[in-house]
Protein backbone atom coordinates (compact mmCIF):
# COMPACT_ATOMS: atom_id res chain seq x y z
CA UNK A 1 0.00 0.00 0.00
CA UNK A 2 1.27 3.47 -0.79
CA UNK A 3 1.15 5.72 2.21
CA UNK A 4 0.29 9.38 1.77
CA UNK A 5 1.78 11.37 4.61
CA UNK A 6 2.83 14.94 4.12
CA UNK A 7 1.32 15.58 0.72
CA UNK A 8 -0.82 18.70 0.65
CA UNK A 9 -3.42 17.14 -1.63
CA UNK A 10 -4.59 13.67 -0.63
CA UNK A 11 -4.61 11.12 -3.43
CA UNK A 12 -8.08 10.52 -4.86
CA UNK A 13 -9.97 7.39 -3.74
CA UNK A 14 -7.14 5.04 -2.80
CA UNK A 15 -7.95 1.40 -3.48
CA UNK A 16 -6.90 0.39 0.03
CA UNK A 17 -8.50 2.45 2.81
CA UNK A 18 -5.80 4.32 4.67
CA UNK A 19 -6.55 3.32 8.28
CA UNK A 20 -4.66 5.50 10.77
CA UNK A 21 -1.54 7.49 9.98
CA UNK A 22 0.27 9.49 12.62
CA UNK A 23 3.43 11.49 11.92
CA UNK A 24 5.58 13.26 14.52
CA UNK A 25 2.71 14.06 16.85
CA UNK A 26 3.51 16.13 19.94
CA UNK A 27 1.31 17.06 22.89
CA UNK A 28 2.36 18.52 26.21
CA UNK A 29 0.43 19.20 29.39
CA UNK A 30 2.35 22.09 30.94
CA UNK A 31 5.88 20.78 31.26
CA UNK A 32 4.86 17.12 30.79
CA UNK A 33 5.58 15.92 27.27
CA UNK A 34 2.84 13.31 27.05
CA UNK A 35 3.49 12.74 23.32
CA UNK A 36 6.99 13.50 22.17
CA UNK A 37 7.09 12.59 18.48
CA UNK A 38 4.82 9.66 17.78
CA UNK A 39 4.77 7.91 14.42
CA UNK A 40 2.27 5.17 13.83
CA UNK A 41 0.48 3.39 11.04
CA UNK A 42 -2.51 1.15 11.70
CA UNK A 43 -3.65 -0.79 8.66
CA UNK A 44 -7.26 -1.15 7.65
CA UNK A 45 -8.38 -4.72 8.11
CA UNK A 46 -5.96 -5.40 10.97
CA UNK A 47 -5.89 -5.18 14.74
CA UNK A 48 -2.98 -3.04 15.91
CA UNK A 49 -1.89 -3.15 19.53
CA UNK A 50 -0.79 0.08 21.21
CA UNK A 51 1.38 -1.12 24.03
CA UNK A 52 3.20 0.73 26.76
CA UNK A 53 3.51 1.11 30.50
CA UNK A 54 1.31 3.46 32.52
CA UNK A 55 1.97 7.09 31.69
CA UNK A 56 3.57 6.31 28.32
CA UNK A 57 0.97 8.38 26.45
CA UNK A 58 -1.51 5.80 25.17
CA UNK A 59 -4.65 7.59 26.34
CA UNK A 60 -3.33 10.95 25.17
CA UNK A 61 -2.62 9.55 21.71
CA UNK A 62 -6.05 7.93 21.46
CA UNK A 63 -7.73 11.19 22.51
CA UNK A 64 -5.82 12.96 19.73
CA UNK A 65 -6.91 10.31 17.22
CA UNK A 66 -10.52 10.56 18.41
CA UNK A 67 -10.41 14.31 17.79
CA UNK A 68 -10.92 15.07 21.50
CA UNK A 69 -7.51 16.62 22.05
CA UNK A 70 -5.69 18.92 19.63
CA UNK A 71 -2.02 18.02 19.16
CA UNK A 72 0.66 20.70 19.50
CA UNK A 73 2.27 19.49 16.31
CA UNK A 74 2.45 16.69 13.80
CA UNK A 75 -0.04 15.09 11.46
CA UNK A 76 -2.94 12.73 11.98
CA UNK A 77 -5.11 11.01 9.38
CA UNK A 78 -8.11 8.91 10.30
CA UNK A 79 -9.45 7.04 7.28
CA UNK A 80 -7.85 9.85 5.28
CA UNK A 81 -9.37 12.67 7.37
CA UNK A 82 -7.60 15.15 9.62
CA UNK A 83 -9.42 15.30 12.98
CA UNK A 84 -8.22 18.87 13.52
CA UNK A 85 -9.20 20.48 10.21
CA UNK A 86 -11.91 18.04 9.17
CA UNK A 87 -13.32 16.97 12.51
CA UNK A 88 -16.75 16.14 11.21
CA UNK A 89 -15.60 13.59 8.65
CA UNK A 90 -13.01 12.16 11.03
CA UNK A 91 -15.54 11.72 13.83
CA UNK A 92 -18.03 10.08 11.49
CA UNK A 93 -15.37 7.52 10.62
CA UNK A 94 -14.27 6.92 14.21
CA UNK A 95 -15.61 4.72 16.97
CA UNK A 96 -14.16 5.57 20.38
CA UNK A 97 -14.24 3.45 23.49
CA UNK A 98 -12.71 5.34 26.43
CA UNK A 99 -11.06 3.54 29.33
CA UNK A 100 -13.81 4.63 31.71
CA UNK A 101 -17.46 4.51 30.84
CA UNK A 102 -18.46 7.91 32.21
CA UNK A 103 -21.68 8.98 33.87
CA UNK A 104 -24.61 7.60 31.96
CA UNK A 105 -26.10 5.84 34.94
CA UNK A 106 -29.58 7.29 34.69
CA UNK A 107 -30.09 5.96 31.14
CA UNK A 108 -30.85 2.34 30.33
CA UNK A 109 -28.38 0.38 28.24
CA UNK A 110 -30.67 0.71 25.23
CA UNK A 111 -31.10 4.46 25.76
CA UNK A 112 -27.35 4.93 25.86
CA UNK A 113 -27.08 3.35 22.41
CA UNK A 114 -30.08 5.26 21.06
CA UNK A 115 -28.62 8.53 22.33
CA UNK A 116 -25.41 7.87 20.45
CA UNK A 117 -27.29 6.73 17.37
CA UNK A 118 -29.19 10.02 17.42
CA UNK A 119 -25.94 11.94 17.75
CA UNK A 120 -24.74 10.16 14.61
CA UNK A 121 -28.08 11.00 12.96
CA UNK A 122 -29.19 7.43 12.38
CA UNK A 123 -32.90 7.30 11.45
CA UNK A 124 -35.05 6.15 14.42
CA UNK A 125 -36.05 2.77 13.01
CA UNK A 126 -32.49 1.98 11.96
CA UNK A 127 -31.23 3.10 15.36
CA UNK A 128 -33.51 0.85 17.39
CA UNK A 129 -32.67 -2.13 15.21
CA UNK A 130 -28.97 -1.36 15.52
CA UNK A 131 -29.23 -0.95 19.30
CA UNK A 132 -30.94 -4.34 19.67
CA UNK A 133 -28.36 -5.99 17.43
CA UNK A 134 -25.44 -4.50 19.37
CA UNK A 135 -26.92 -5.41 22.76
CA UNK A 136 -27.09 -8.96 21.45
CA UNK A 137 -23.50 -8.78 20.21
CA UNK A 138 -22.17 -7.75 23.61
CA UNK A 139 -24.54 -10.07 25.50
CA UNK A 140 -26.47 -7.34 27.27
CA UNK A 141 -29.92 -8.01 25.85
CA UNK A 142 -31.31 -8.93 29.26
CA UNK A 143 -30.06 -5.61 30.63
CA UNK A 144 -31.40 -3.57 27.72
CA UNK A 145 -34.06 -1.77 29.71
CA UNK A 146 -32.35 -1.54 33.05
CA UNK A 147 -30.41 1.52 34.16
CA UNK A 148 -26.72 1.44 33.27
CA UNK A 149 -26.03 1.95 37.00
CA UNK A 150 -26.84 -1.72 37.69
CA UNK A 151 -24.17 -2.91 35.26
CA UNK A 152 -20.92 -4.34 36.56
CA UNK A 153 -17.64 -2.84 35.41
CA UNK A 154 -17.23 -5.52 32.78
CA UNK A 155 -20.78 -5.04 31.54
CA UNK A 156 -20.22 -1.29 31.34
CA UNK A 157 -17.10 -1.99 29.29
CA UNK A 158 -19.18 -4.08 26.91
CA UNK A 159 -21.82 -1.36 26.66
CA UNK A 160 -19.01 1.09 25.94
CA UNK A 161 -17.89 -1.13 23.10
CA UNK A 162 -21.42 -1.35 21.68
CA UNK A 163 -21.66 2.44 21.93
CA UNK A 164 -18.46 2.83 19.92
CA UNK A 165 -19.88 0.63 17.16
CA UNK A 166 -23.29 2.28 16.74
CA UNK A 167 -22.46 4.05 13.46
CA UNK A 168 -20.37 1.23 11.97
CA UNK A 169 -17.10 3.17 12.10
CA UNK A 170 -14.23 2.48 9.69
CA UNK A 171 -11.75 3.08 12.48
CA UNK A 172 -12.20 1.75 15.99
CA UNK A 173 -10.14 3.13 18.89
CA UNK A 174 -10.24 1.25 22.20
CA UNK A 175 -8.48 2.36 25.36
CA UNK A 176 -7.69 -0.61 27.61
CA UNK A 177 -10.89 -2.40 26.59
CA UNK A 178 -10.00 -5.70 28.22
CA UNK A 179 -9.47 -4.30 31.70
CA UNK A 180 -12.29 -5.40 33.96
CA UNK A 181 -13.46 -8.14 31.63
CA UNK A 182 -13.77 -11.70 32.83
CA UNK A 183 -12.03 -14.37 30.72
CA UNK A 184 -15.21 -15.23 28.79
CA UNK A 185 -15.83 -11.58 27.87
CA UNK A 186 -12.19 -11.23 26.89
CA UNK A 187 -12.51 -14.07 24.43
CA UNK A 188 -15.71 -12.49 23.09
CA UNK A 189 -13.85 -9.19 22.68
CA UNK A 190 -11.08 -10.89 20.77
CA UNK A 191 -13.52 -12.64 18.45
CA UNK A 192 -15.46 -9.43 17.87
CA UNK A 193 -12.34 -7.38 17.09
CA UNK A 194 -11.06 -10.09 14.74
CA UNK A 195 -14.42 -10.11 12.95
CA UNK A 196 -14.43 -6.33 12.60
CA UNK A 197 -10.90 -6.38 11.22
CA UNK A 198 -11.83 -9.15 8.79
CA UNK A 199 -14.64 -6.90 7.56
CA UNK A 200 -12.10 -4.14 6.84
CA UNK A 201 -12.23 -2.06 10.01
CA UNK A 202 -9.04 -0.46 11.32
CA UNK A 203 -8.76 -1.47 14.97
CA UNK A 204 -6.30 0.22 17.35
CA UNK A 205 -6.39 -1.16 20.86
CA UNK A 206 -4.30 -0.09 23.83
CA UNK A 207 -3.19 -2.01 26.86
CA UNK A 208 -0.44 -2.07 29.45
CA UNK A 209 -1.22 -5.75 30.08
CA UNK A 210 0.52 -7.49 27.25
CA UNK A 211 -1.14 -10.85 27.49
CA UNK A 212 -4.49 -9.19 26.78
CA UNK A 213 -3.45 -8.24 23.28
CA UNK A 214 -1.07 -10.94 22.21
CA UNK A 215 -3.72 -13.24 20.85
CA UNK A 216 -5.75 -10.60 19.05
CA UNK A 217 -3.24 -8.25 17.45
CA UNK A 218 -1.67 -8.45 13.99
CA UNK A 219 0.72 -5.56 14.50
CA UNK A 220 2.06 -3.77 17.54
CA UNK A 221 3.31 -0.27 18.23
CA UNK A 222 5.19 0.41 21.44
CA UNK A 223 5.02 3.68 23.32
CA UNK A 224 7.57 4.63 25.92
CA UNK A 225 7.79 8.10 27.45
CA UNK A 226 5.58 9.58 24.74
CA UNK A 227 7.66 8.19 21.90
CA UNK A 228 7.08 5.35 19.49
CA UNK A 229 9.86 2.98 20.26
CA UNK A 230 9.60 0.72 17.29
CA UNK A 231 6.79 -1.05 15.54
CA UNK A 232 6.85 -4.82 15.36
CA UNK A 233 5.23 -6.93 12.75
CA UNK A 234 3.97 -9.83 14.73
CA UNK A 235 3.91 -13.23 13.17
CA UNK A 236 0.61 -13.88 14.82
CA UNK A 237 -2.66 -15.36 13.74
CA UNK A 238 -2.18 -14.19 10.16
CA UNK A 239 0.78 -15.71 8.35
CA UNK A 240 4.33 -15.05 9.51
CA UNK A 241 6.48 -17.20 11.72
CA UNK A 242 6.16 -17.10 15.48
CA UNK A 243 8.17 -18.95 18.06
CA UNK A 244 7.35 -22.47 19.08
CA UNK A 245 8.69 -24.46 21.98
CA UNK A 246 10.06 -27.92 21.18
CA UNK A 247 11.11 -30.41 23.82
CA UNK A 248 12.82 -33.75 23.34
CA UNK A 249 13.97 -36.64 25.53
CA UNK A 250 17.46 -35.89 24.26
CA UNK A 251 18.28 -32.19 23.95
CA UNK A 252 21.50 -33.10 22.19
CA UNK A 253 19.70 -35.17 19.56
CA UNK A 254 17.29 -32.30 19.00
CA UNK A 255 19.90 -29.56 18.63
CA UNK A 256 22.21 -31.72 16.54
CA UNK A 257 19.37 -32.41 14.16
CA UNK A 258 18.28 -28.75 14.03
CA UNK A 259 21.89 -27.70 13.29
CA UNK A 260 22.18 -30.33 10.56
CA UNK A 261 19.05 -28.94 8.87
CA UNK A 262 20.18 -25.33 9.29
CA UNK A 263 17.21 -24.43 11.49
CA UNK A 264 17.86 -21.48 13.83
CA UNK A 265 17.04 -22.12 17.49
CA UNK A 266 17.75 -20.73 20.93
CA UNK A 267 17.79 -22.41 24.31
CA UNK A 268 14.52 -22.52 26.19
CA UNK A 269 15.10 -21.36 29.75
CA UNK A 270 11.77 -22.68 30.97
CA UNK A 271 12.37 -25.83 32.98
CA UNK A 272 10.74 -29.10 32.08
CA UNK A 273 9.41 -29.95 35.55
CA UNK A 274 10.30 -33.57 36.31
CA UNK A 275 11.98 -34.01 32.93
CA UNK A 276 14.57 -36.78 32.77
CA UNK A 277 18.29 -35.88 32.63
CA UNK A 278 19.53 -35.03 29.15
CA UNK A 279 16.13 -33.93 27.99
CA UNK A 280 15.40 -30.31 27.21
CA UNK A 281 13.84 -27.80 24.92
CA UNK A 282 14.49 -25.04 22.43
CA UNK A 283 12.59 -22.13 20.93
CA UNK A 284 12.51 -21.70 17.20
CA UNK A 285 10.54 -19.82 14.55
CA UNK A 286 7.83 -21.90 12.93
CA UNK A 287 5.48 -20.81 10.14
CA UNK A 288 2.12 -21.56 11.72
CA UNK A 289 0.35 -24.87 12.29
CA UNK A 290 1.37 -26.22 8.90
CA UNK A 291 5.01 -25.51 9.59
CA UNK A 292 4.69 -27.12 13.01
CA UNK A 293 3.17 -30.30 11.58
CA UNK A 294 6.00 -30.47 9.04
CA UNK A 295 8.64 -29.92 11.71
CA UNK A 296 7.20 -32.68 13.86
CA UNK A 297 7.00 -35.11 10.95
CA UNK A 298 10.61 -34.33 9.95
CA UNK A 299 11.85 -34.69 13.53
CA UNK A 300 10.15 -38.03 14.03
CA UNK A 301 11.49 -39.28 10.68
CA UNK A 302 14.99 -38.25 11.78
CA UNK A 303 14.56 -40.23 15.01
CA UNK A 304 14.53 -37.20 17.33
CA UNK A 305 12.52 -38.18 20.47
CA UNK A 306 10.21 -35.15 20.54
CA UNK A 307 7.97 -34.97 23.60
CA UNK A 308 6.27 -31.59 23.14
CA UNK A 309 5.64 -29.00 20.46
CA UNK A 310 3.60 -25.88 21.18
CA UNK A 311 3.48 -22.17 20.37
CA UNK A 312 5.63 -20.30 22.89
CA UNK A 313 3.45 -17.85 24.78
CA UNK A 314 3.51 -14.21 23.98
CA UNK A 315 5.19 -12.77 20.90
CA UNK A 316 4.16 -9.36 22.19
CA UNK A 317 5.48 -10.11 25.63
CA UNK A 318 8.90 -11.00 24.27
CA UNK A 319 9.00 -7.85 22.16
CA UNK A 320 8.01 -5.83 25.22
CA UNK A 321 10.68 -7.41 27.37
CA UNK A 322 13.27 -6.70 24.68
CA UNK A 323 12.09 -3.11 24.78
CA UNK A 324 12.45 -2.96 28.57
CA UNK A 325 15.97 -4.37 28.28
CA UNK A 326 16.89 -1.70 25.75
CA UNK A 327 15.77 0.99 28.16
CA UNK A 328 18.05 -0.19 30.95
P1 LIG B 1 -1.18 6.11 29.50
O1 LIG B 1 -2.57 6.12 28.96
O2 LIG B 1 -0.20 5.41 28.61
O3 LIG B 1 -1.14 5.59 30.90
P2 LIG B 1 -1.47 8.99 29.45
O4 LIG B 1 -1.63 9.37 28.03
O5 LIG B 1 -2.68 8.96 30.29
O6 LIG B 1 -0.67 7.63 29.55
O7 LIG B 1 -0.46 9.99 30.13
C1 LIG B 1 0.80 10.35 29.55
C2 LIG B 1 1.45 11.42 30.42
O8 LIG B 1 0.73 12.64 30.33
C3 LIG B 1 1.50 11.10 31.90
O9 LIG B 1 2.70 11.60 32.42
C4 LIG B 1 0.30 11.83 32.46
O10 LIG B 1 0.50 12.14 33.81
C5 LIG B 1 0.26 13.07 31.59
N1 LIG B 1 -1.11 13.58 31.42
C6 LIG B 1 -2.11 12.96 30.76
N2 LIG B 1 -3.23 13.71 30.73
C7 LIG B 1 -2.93 14.85 31.40
C8 LIG B 1 -3.65 16.04 31.72
N3 LIG B 1 -4.92 16.20 31.34
N4 LIG B 1 -3.01 16.98 32.43
C9 LIG B 1 -1.74 16.82 32.81
N5 LIG B 1 -0.99 15.74 32.53
C10 LIG B 1 -1.57 14.76 31.84
MG1 LIG C 1 -4.34 5.35 29.73
Amino acid sequence: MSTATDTAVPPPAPSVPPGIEVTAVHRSFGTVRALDGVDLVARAGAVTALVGPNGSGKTTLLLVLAGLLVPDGGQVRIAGHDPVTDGRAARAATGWMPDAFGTWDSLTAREVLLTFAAAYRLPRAVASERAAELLETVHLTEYADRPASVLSRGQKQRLGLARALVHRPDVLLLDEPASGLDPRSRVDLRVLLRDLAAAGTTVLVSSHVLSELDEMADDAVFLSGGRTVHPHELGGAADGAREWRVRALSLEALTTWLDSTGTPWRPDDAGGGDAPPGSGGVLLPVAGEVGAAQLLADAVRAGVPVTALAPAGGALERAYLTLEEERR
Side-chain angles (χ1 to χ4, degrees), residues 175-200:
D175 198 7
E176 310 258 357
S179 85
L181 295 187
D182 58 43
R184 173 76 239 169
S185 302
R186 217 168 270 189
V187 172
D188 288 346
L189 174 70
R190 184 172 80 215
V191 170
L192 179 61
L193 296 187
R194 296 280 1 143
D195 285 352
L196 288 164

Side-chain angles (χ1 to χ4, degrees), residues 255-282:
T255 55
T256 305
W257 173 66
L258 288 171
D259 288 342
S260 74
T261 58
T263 310
W265 58 272
R266 62 192 185 88
D268 178 14
D269 298 330
D274 56 356
S279 70
V282 300

Side-chain angles (χ1 to χ4, degrees), residues 54-55 57-60 99 175-176 206:
N54 288 321
K58 302 182 298 294
T59 298
T60 305
D99 59 350
D175 198 7
E176 310 258 357
S206 80

Side-chain angles (χ1 to χ4, degrees), residues 2-318:
S2 72
T3 50
T5 47
D6 292 316
T7 44
V9 182
S15 53
V16 179
I20 301 170
E21 293 174 335
V22 173
T23 314
V25 161
H26 289 255
R27 180 59 154 96
S28 295
F29 297 103
T31 55
V32 178
R33 294 172 156 230
L35 300 178
D36 194 17
V38 171
D39 299 307
L40 171 158
V41 173
R43 298 180 284 140
V47 177
T48 301
L50 180 62
V51 182
N54 288 321
S56 57
K58 302 182 298 294
T59 298
T60 305
L61 177 61
L62 290 169
L63 287 169
V64 166
L65 298 180
L68 299 169
L69 195 62
V70 177
D72 298 332
Q75 274 223 357
V76 176
R77 290 289 180 275
I78 301 290
H81 309 292
D82 183 339
V84 177
T85 61
D86 196 4
R88 207 188 165 88
R91 270 195 305 278
T94 309
W96 161 237
M97 178 182 169
D99 59 350
F101 184 68
T103 52
W104 291 86
D105 286 358
S106 61
L107 298 182
T108 67
R110 191 194 307 278
E111 285 166 349
V112 167
L113 299 185
L114 291 177
T115 303
F116 270 74
Y120 286 111
R121 299 174 195 284
L122 264 65
R124 255 189 124 77
V126 177
S128 77
E129 202 170 302
R130 181 74 178 141
E133 176 191 317
L134 284 169
L135 287 166
E136 190 76 42
T137 304
V138 298
H139 306 295
L140 287 176
T141 301
E142 64 179 294
Y143 292 88
D145 299 308
R146 303 175 64 182
S149 57
V150 308
L151 301 181
S152 71
R153 177 170 160 75
Q155 289 168 331
K156 284 185 183 179
Q157 288 285 89
R158 274 144 51 194
L159 183 57
L161 178 60
R163 197 180 74 173
L165 293 171
V166 158
H167 57 302
R168 301 183 192 277
D170 293 332
V171 173
L172 185 60
L173 308 170
L174 309 110
D175 198 7
E176 310 258 357
S179 85
L181 295 187
D182 58 43
R184 173 76 239 169
S185 302
R186 217 168 270 189
V187 172
D188 288 346
L189 174 70
R190 184 172 80 215
V191 170
L192 179 61
L193 296 187
R194 296 280 1 143
D195 285 352
L196 288 164
T201 306
T202 307
V203 182
L204 182 64
V205 49
S206 80
S207 181
H208 67 285
V209 183
L210 295 162
S211 53
E212 288 178 353
L213 300 185
D214 197 30
E215 300 261 288
M216 64 175 89
D218 301 300
D219 305 332
V221 174
F222 292 89
L223 275 190
S224 174
R227 290 169 181 269
T228 327
V229 183
H230 50 107
H232 284 251
E233 277 280 313
L234 291 183
D239 47 333
R242 77 182 288 173
E243 256 185 342
W244 286 57
R245 171 169 286 130
V246 185
R247 294 189 60 81
L249 276 180
S250 163
L251 179 60
E252 199 191 341
L254 175 60
T255 55
T256 305
W257 173 66
L258 288 171
D259 288 342
S260 74
T261 58
T263 310
W265 58 272
R266 62 192 185 88
D268 178 14
D269 298 330
D274 56 356
S279 70
V282 300
L283 294 163
L284 48 79
V286 172
E289 304 268 333
V290 174
Q294 188 64 54
L295 178 79
L296 183 61
D298 292 347
V300 169
R301 200 173 305 123
V304 180
V306 172
T307 57
L309 174 66
L316 253 183
E317 188 148 309
R318 280 192 307 283

